[in-house]
Amino acid sequence: MRKPKIVILGAGYGGLMTATRLQKAVGANEAEITLVNKNEYHYETTWLHEASAGTLHHDRVRYDISKVIDRNKVEFIQGTAVEIKTEEKKVLLEKGELEYDYLVVALGGESETFGIKGLKEYAYSISNINSARQIREHIEYQFATYNTEKEKDDTRLTIVVGGAGFTGIEFLGELGNRIPELCKEYDVDFEKVKIICVEAAPMVLPGFDPELVEYAVAHLEKKGVQFRIGTAIKEGTPEGIIVAKGENDVEEIKAGTVIWAAGIRGNAIIEKSGFEAMRGRVKVEADLRAPGHDNVFIVGDSSLMINEEINRPYPPTAQIAMQQGEVVARNLAALIHNKSELESFTYDNKGTVCSLGEHDAIGVAFGKKMVGTKASFMKKMIDNRALYMIGGASLVAKKGKFNVL
Amino acid sequence: MRKPKIVILGAGYGGLMTATRLQKAVGANEAEITLVNKNEYHYETTWLHEASAGTLHHDRVRYDISKVIDRNKVEFIQGTAVEIKTEEKKVLLEKGELEYDYLVVALGGESETFGIKGLKEYAYSISNINSARQIREHIEYQFATYNTEKEKDDTRLTIVVGGAGFTGIEFLGELGNRIPELCKEYDVDFEKVKIICVEAAPMVLPGFDPELVEYAVAHLEKKGVQFRIGTAIKEGTPEGIIVAKGENDVEEIKAGTVIWAAGIRGNAIIEKSGFEAMRGRVKVEADLRAPGHDNVFIVGDSSLMINEEINRPYPPTAQIAMQQGEVVARNLAALIHNKSELESFTYDNKGTVCSLGEHDAIGVAFGKKMVGTKASFMKKMIDNRALYMIGGASLVAKKGKFNVL
């Protein structure tokens, strides 16, 4: 009897959770499971702001996929998916192709620049291991270059962060700790460095409790961050950015480093493959299948689910991706076992903590607001939990965060 | 009674040796000694190739001048000399000016690009702490960027070293050790990296024993270095260099990093101040005074002395600069003490060792040729000796090299 072929695209939070749960839920003879990922490692997307700032080495932010999958049940292929041919039940890779009976699309998101001119060319985005270490090295190079020039160009030391959402704020928190170190390393006067956060929305961290936001802003300002709220980036240039507050209030901010952390969209492959999507995200069914596709599940940043309470989409987070992965694993097992009833996904919000640097954070967990070291401790527990859910205690021991005050 | 004013410009090997010896040779009431240096630290010029490659942190390559001077006898001014007005016995600094009765010019050398187009703009030179860490960061940035690009540009990973003299070869030795580390750090295939040494002269390390040179070339080639001997750099470009072997044999070498390590000249201030000089180097008298200037001594890279045995100038080295510093200190003390007879300088060649990376070297010491770990050990002893001569045992303990096999 021919075993059904399950192909999982992507080994981020959603894909790897699907694979590791599925390998426990089905026998080796029941299905042929293939996991495809661009790199041979998984990385913690939610820790990339640390690797980008240089406060945590990028090797601490990734681990080999082979460490967490059961090779008897899951075949791993290092490759890049290019297009999904749903009618032919095939995935085209950069090299070769794969047939499937069931497909899980867990390819993550991409930076969304909303068509703002020059951002793709001149701004960095905190997207993956490669871009994180490039950002780290770029900033270090700017600092290293400063003193070599006869005419000192202080704008080399200006870092603009576009976006005061989760990623932007967490990155600013790390920069707050990192800049004094960089000043020491490269003999640069701290007073010369500028960190500017530009946010088009009228507020920082929309959706967060205002009291917590106030705490975050005050603490980041104390570390030297300047906020430009209600200010839109109009253009990225080789010298920095052009912003506008009102219609006529246009200004150039020269900066040696521009990080764009304000937008995310689904993977480009989604639209290329003909799925109906909004900014590359597919509004999935309750059982996480793509509408009209009985054998295609979509999880993580490329999926879209509406939070009925506020009638707005859930933000794409690691937490929701992992919970989706668990449900997809169970639903795939049900399909393999010929059960017709599939489970509906319901999001269990375990809380959200936004880090503000190594020993500071704000957040809500167990229904309680918290700030400072308490919130920071909670953040580390959340980070460790993600490791535990996918790789168990041994992965936590290897990659966990224990640098608690 | 007015104390004579002695001004020492530069706290490199020559200047700092002069200052530290002079502070022992004269009493606090006998002279007013002022040491002027651009930075508040001294750096080991002969170790900069390590900081540039990233094999030794730049903080290991420098120490505070205040640690080795006696503040009761020597006043330290952090400043940059711009011009010497010999007739007025004045030094103009970027900020302010200084009068002197006796002057020691120990301002070191500058990179000499021989008018080759584009080298100043596009090539780095191993000149000081600032440029060394910029080179380190530039190379790291090239490696970090490689994997972020869709179209991989292998020439990013090409490093061209212009010059197979002492600095070029020692830097190549460090790169040989560093490149495998960089490949690991940035997930780069070692096979993609190219290290090319371009040398216009028909040989590597001119003046060195041919047997030792052969050893060096073979060992560097084993580490991946390609030599292009008898090949001149014609131009530096934003993409790399243009070289020529013969008249018509012109070729472009694309490279993400170009290090120019082939030329040195005296400090620009020498010519600006009206001293007669060859490439910024003044052919000094036997007592190390500038011809026609009874009260100006010149030591180190801005001085020129002829090796009578071969009728060619001694190469500018730390060893010769320090020996000159010792003599100048004694001659200044003699002048202060109203002795008319000044000491003539004779170079005492204690040997030369050229490092080929952490545990390898070639050289001649105590009249014996040596290679490998033995030569490498000798090199470290030479490095430690320079520290000892200026700052004594405590400086050796703090900054010395003890990573002997």
Side-chain angles (χ1 to χ4, degrees):
Chain A
M1 210 187 97
R2 183 181 164 283
K3 289 190 282 183
K5 290 180 201 240
I6 302 174
V7 171
I8 303 167
L9 299 180
Y13 294 108
L16 207 48
M17 183 59 98
T18 304
T20 52
R21 291 294 153 118
L22 193 60
Q23 71 192 5
K24 285 180 193 151
V26 300
N29 296 321
E30 292 181 313
E32 210 172 85
I33 307 169
T34 306
L35 174 64
V36 182
N37 195 56
K38 192 183 275 190
N39 308 302
E40 58 190 359
Y41 56 82
H42 160 91
Y43 57 83
E44 304 290 307
T45 307
T46 61
W47 305 10
L48 286 176
H49 60 283
E50 295 170 78
S52 302
T55 45
L56 188 69
H57 191 270
H58 60 262
D59 282 337
R60 286 287 314 278
V61 177
R62 62 176 172 179
Y63 54 82
D64 281 351
I65 291 162
S66 65
K67 296 261 191 286
V68 294
I69 59 169
D70 177 350
R71 290 281 187 155
N72 294 319
K73 291 188 181 165
V74 179
E75 189 195 2
F76 174 67
I77 293 178
Q78 190 179 343
T80 302
V82 178
E83 194 180 342
I84 300 157
K85 298 277 190 192
T86 49
E87 300 219 341
E88 302 163 48
K89 297 204 250 176
K90 266 204 299 207
V91 178
L92 308 186
L93 305 179
E94 264 176 15
K95 286 176 192 160
E97 55 180 57
L98 286 172
E99 290 181 359
Y100 65 81
D101 296 301
Y102 299 105
L103 182 68
V104 181
V105 183
L107 288 165
E110 290 178 357
S111 175
E112 166 67 280
T113 53
F114 306 110
I116 300 169
K117 198 178 149 191
L119 281 189
K120 272 195 182 142
E121 292 84 348
Y122 305 118
Y124 294 89
S125 76
I126 300 171
S127 307
N128 51 46
I129 292 285
N130 291 332
S131 79
R133 66 187 161 196
Q134 188 191 29
I135 291 168
R136 178 191 75 197
E137 292 304 326
H138 171 78
I139 294 173
E140 288 183 10
Y141 181 75
Q142 294 295 337
F143 275 73
T145 299
Y146 182 73
N147 275 324
T148 65
E149 293 180 313
K150 267 229 156 101
E151 297 281 318
K152 301 270 178 291
D153 174 10
D154 290 0
T155 68
R156 269 200 190 282
L157 307 174
T158 298
I159 302 173
V160 165
V161 176
F166 216 86
T167 306
I169 294 298
E170 290 203 317
F171 180 61
L172 289 165
E174 298 302 317
L175 279 186
N177 293 352
R178 180 67 178 144
I179 296 299
E181 291 175 6
L182 288 172
C183 287
K184 193 157 176 279
E185 174 77 2
Y186 299 103
D187 301 318
V188 167
D189 180 359
F190 182 75
E191 298 296 316
K192 302 278 185 195
V193 183
K194 273 192 196 158
I195 312 173
I196 302 169
C197 177
V198 179
E199 169 61 59
M203 72 201 68
V204 167
L205 284 175
F208 252 73
D209 179 277
E211 200 185 342
L212 295 179
V213 171
E214 202 180 305
Y215 176 96
V217 169
H219 278 239
L220 291 175
E221 281 180 341
K222 218 171 129 190
K223 284 178 176 177
V225 178
Q226 297 170 27
F227 284 93
R228 301 280 201 100
I229 302 305
T231 304
I233 295 184
K234 290 296 176 190
E235 192 181 334
T237 72
E239 283 81 38
I241 54 166
I242 293 165
V243 299
K245 197 151 185 174
E247 271 301 297
N248 301 312
D249 197 357
V250 175
E251 187 194 342
E252 183 183 9
I253 301 176
K254 293 199 175 183
T257 305
V258 178
I259 308 292
W260 177 248
I264 192 163
R265 50 168 290 127
N267 198 289
I269 200 175
I270 293 285
E271 279 155 348
K272 194 176 176 190
S273 304
F275 292 99
E276 199 181 310
M278 292 157 61
R279 298 198 181 284
R281 304 180 70 193
V282 177
K283 193 161 172 270
V284 291
E285 306 285 1
D287 58 16
L288 299 172
R289 286 189 282 197
H293 298 273
D294 271 2
N295 60 343
V296 179
F297 293 85
I298 303 185
V299 300
D301 294 357
S302 292
S303 74
L304 187 83
M305 301 206 83
I306 300 297
N307 179 352
E308 304 289 354
E309 280 177 41
I310 54 170
N311 199 31
R312 291 192 52 190
Y314 286 112
T317 64
Q319 190 180 170
I320 202 166
M322 287 197 294
Q323 290 183 16
Q324 288 175 328
E326 290 184 82
V327 170
V328 167
R330 285 197 290 270
N331 281 347
L332 280 167
L335 288 167
I336 299 293
H337 299 141
N338 293 314
K339 290 179 189 151
S340 59
E341 192 85 2
L342 295 195
E343 182 182 332
S344 286
F345 177 80
T346 20
Y347 177 48
D348 174 18
N349 187 345
K350 293 190 188 300
T352 309
V353 181
C354 177
S355 150
L356 302 173
E358 183 159 16
H359 297 301
D360 202 359
I362 55 167
V364 178
F366 307 117
K368 279 175 88 171
K369 289 198 275 186
M370 47 182 89
V371 299
T373 52
K374 202 169 177 179
S376 175
F377 176 82
M378 193 57 65
K379 178 75 176 182
K380 282 167 187 143
M381 293 308 104
I382 291 170
D383 286 349
N384 291 342
R385 186 173 181 273
L387 294 170
Y388 181 78
M389 295 285 284
I390 290 173
S394 74
L395 189 61
V396 177
K398 229 175 287 162
K399 297 284 177 176
K401 292 182 176 173
F402 307 104
N403 49 343
V404 171
L405 260 192
Chain B
M1 211 187 100
R2 185 181 162 281
K3 290 189 282 183
K5 289 180 201 242
I6 302 174
V7 171
I8 303 167
L9 300 180
Y13 294 108
L16 207 47
M17 183 60 99
T18 304
T20 52
R21 291 294 154 120
L22 193 59
Q23 71 192 3
K24 285 177 193 152
V26 301
N29 297 321
E30 293 180 312
E32 209 173 88
I33 307 169
T34 306
L35 174 64
V36 182
N37 196 57
K38 193 184 273 189
N39 309 301
E40 58 190 358
Y41 55 82
H42 161 91
Y43 56 84
E44 303 290 307
T45 307
T46 62
W47 306 8
L48 286 175
H49 60 284
E50 296 169 77
S52 302
T55 46
L56 188 69
H57 191 270
H58 60 262
D59 281 337
R60 285 288 312 280
V61 177
R62 62 176 171 179
Y63 54 82
D64 282 350
I65 291 163
S66 65
K67 297 260 192 283
V68 294
I69 59 168
D70 177 350
R71 290 282 188 154
N72 293 320
K73 292 189 182 165
V74 179
E75 189 196 2
F76 174 67
I77 293 180
Q78 190 178 343
T80 302
V82 178
E83 194 179 340
I84 300 158
K85 298 276 191 192
T86 50
E87 301 217 343
E88 302 164 47
K89 297 204 251 176
K90 266 205 296 205
V91 177
L92 308 186
L93 305 178
E94 264 176 15
K95 285 175 193 161
E97 55 180 56
L98 286 172
E99 289 180 359
Y100 65 79
D101 296 301
Y102 300 104
L103 182 69
V104 181
V105 184
L107 288 164
E110 290 179 357
S111 175
E112 166 68 279
T113 53
F114 305 109
I116 300 169
K117 199 179 148 190
L119 280 188
K120 271 195 182 143
E121 292 83 349
Y122 305 119
Y124 295 90
S125 77
I126 300 171
S127 308
N128 51 45
I129 292 286
N130 291 330
S131 79
R133 65 187 163 198
Q134 188 190 30
I135 291 168
R136 179 191 76 198
E137 292 305 325
H138 171 78
I139 294 173
E140 289 184 9
Y141 181 74
Q142 295 296 337
F143 274 72
T145 299
Y146 182 73
N147 275 324
T148 64
E149 293 180 312
K150 267 228 154 101
E151 299 279 320
K152 301 271 180 288
D153 174 10
D154 290 0
T155 68
R156 267 199 192 285
L157 306 174
T158 298
I159 302 173
V160 165
V161 176
F166 215 86
T167 307
I169 293 300
E170 290 203 317
F171 181 61
L172 289 166
E174 297 303 317
L175 279 186
N177 293 352
R178 180 68 178 145
I179 297 299
E181 291 175 6
L182 288 171
C183 288
K184 192 156 177 280
E185 174 77 3
Y186 298 103
D187 301 317
V188 167
D189 181 359
F190 182 75
E191 299 296 316
K192 303 277 186 196
V193 183
K194 272 192 197 155
I195 311 173
I196 303 170
C197 177
V198 179
E199 170 60 60
M203 72 201 67
V204 168
L205 284 175
F208 252 73
D209 179 277
E211 199 185 342
L212 294 178
V213 171
E214 203 179 305
Y215 176 96
V217 169
H219 278 239
L220 291 174
E221 281 180 343
K222 217 172 130 189
K223 285 179 175 176
V225 178
Q226 298 170 26
F227 284 93
R228 302 280 202 101
I229 302 306
T231 305
I233 294 183
K234 291 294 178 193
E235 191 181 334
T237 72
E239 283 80 38
I241 54 166
I242 293 165
V243 297
K245 199 153 184 171
E247 271 300 296
N248 301 311
D249 196 357
V250 174
E251 188 195 340
E252 184 184 7
I253 301 176
K254 292 197 174 184
T257 305
V258 178
I259 309 293
W260 177 247
I264 191 162
R265 50 168 290 128
N267 199 288
I269 201 176
I270 294 285
E271 280 155 347
K272 194 175 175 193
S273 305
F275 292 98
E276 199 180 313
M278 293 158 62
R279 298 200 182 283
R281 305 179 70 192
V282 177
K283 192 159 170 274
V284 290
E285 306 286 1
D287 57 16
L288 300 172
R289 286 190 282 197
H293 297 273
D294 271 2
N295 60 342
V296 179
F297 293 86
I298 303 185
V299 300
D301 295 357
S302 291
S303 73
L304 187 83
M305 299 206 85
I306 300 295
N307 180 350
E308 304 290 352
E309 281 176 42
I310 55 171
N311 198 29
R312 288 191 55 188
Y314 287 111
T317 64
Q319 191 180 170
I320 202 166
M322 287 197 295
Q323 290 182 16
Q324 289 176 327
E326 290 183 84
V327 171
V328 168
R330 284 197 291 269
N331 281 346
L332 281 167
L335 288 167
I336 298 293
H337 298 141
N338 294 313
K339 291 177 189 155
S340 59
E341 193 87 0
L342 295 195
E343 181 182 334
S344 286
F345 177 80
T346 22
Y347 177 48
D348 174 17
N349 187 345
K350 294 189 188 299
T352 309
V353 181
C354 177
S355 150
L356 301 172
E358 184 160 15
H359 296 302
D360 203 358
I362 55 168
V364 178
F366 307 117
K368 279 175 86 173
K369 289 199 274 184
M370 46 183 88
V371 300
T373 52
K374 202 170 178 178
S376 175
F377 176 82
M378 193 56 67
K379 178 76 176 181
K380 282 169 187 140
M381 292 309 102
I382 291 171
D383 287 348
N384 291 343
R385 186 174 180 275
L387 295 170
Y388 181 79
M389 296 284 285
I390 289 172
S394 74
L395 189 61
V396 177
K398 229 176 286 161
K399 297 284 176 175
K401 292 182 176 175
F402 306 104
N403 50 342
V404 172
L405 259 190

